[in-house]
Amino acid sequence: MSESTTRDLRTRDAIAPRAPKQRRPIFAVGWARQAFGASVSRTVGIVIFGLIVLLCIVVPIVSPYQANDFVGLAFQPPSLAHPFGTDAVGRDLFVRTWEGGRVDLIAAAIVTGFALLVGTTLGTLAGSSRQRWLDSFSCGSWTR
């Protein structure tokens, strides 16, 4: 660029008013991406799952009554005493929900551990074997 063009650009920038810097809302997607990284949905999912696991562990322990205790009348609506209401025989559904979640989490951990143990053992045996047919059978038999 020539000297006069550069001078004209500088004077135009000096004369032209600058637009005020816009403030981004605090809940903008860009803000969340900066705070949590590229995968906001993964972070939100981990937080929600962690909260559910925490509630499954804590609620049955700190509750003043057990899951099978009769605590009120049948079919009471939600209230402060019973956040999810009561069932057909007067048991608190809030405590029963989190107690059931605890049982489900234990069952999921046992099944996942079993699948990990069996899959790792069979995969190691098939992969370390010199028998080509065994590797082909173990890989091909599950996909059909």
Side-chain angles (χ1 to χ4, degrees), residues 1 4 21 30 35 47 56 61 67 92 95 98 101 104 114 119 122 131:
M1 289 203 304
S4 63
K21 187 175 179 181
V47 168
C56 285
I61 294 172
D92 187 23
V95 177
W98 298 115
D104 289 344
F114 181 74
L122 292 177
Q131 303 296 322

Side-chain angles (χ1 to χ4, degrees), residues 69-116:
D69 290 348
F70 300 105
V71 296
L73 299 174
F75 297 119
Q76 285 184 339
S79 65
L80 288 177
H82 311 292
F84 292 170
T86 59
D87 64 0
V89 292
R91 297 174 297 200
D92 187 23
L93 289 176
F94 186 73
V95 177
R96 291 179 62 80
T97 299
W98 298 115
E99 182 71 33
R102 177 188 280 184
V103 171
D104 289 344
L105 286 173
I106 292 170
I110 291 171
V111 168
T112 303
F114 181 74
L116 179 72

Side-chain angles (χ1 to χ4, degrees), residues 46-64:
I46 289 171
V47 168
I48 290 172
F49 181 72
L51 183 65
I52 289 171
V53 169
L54 182 69
L55 286 171
C56 285
I57 294 170
V58 172
V59 168
I61 294 172
V62 299
S63 175

Side-chain angles (χ1 to χ4, degrees), residues 1-10:
M1 289 203 304
S2 70
E3 179 69 33
S4 63
T5 307
T6 306
R7 188 172 0 130
D8 291 341
L9 288 176
R10 272 191 254 140

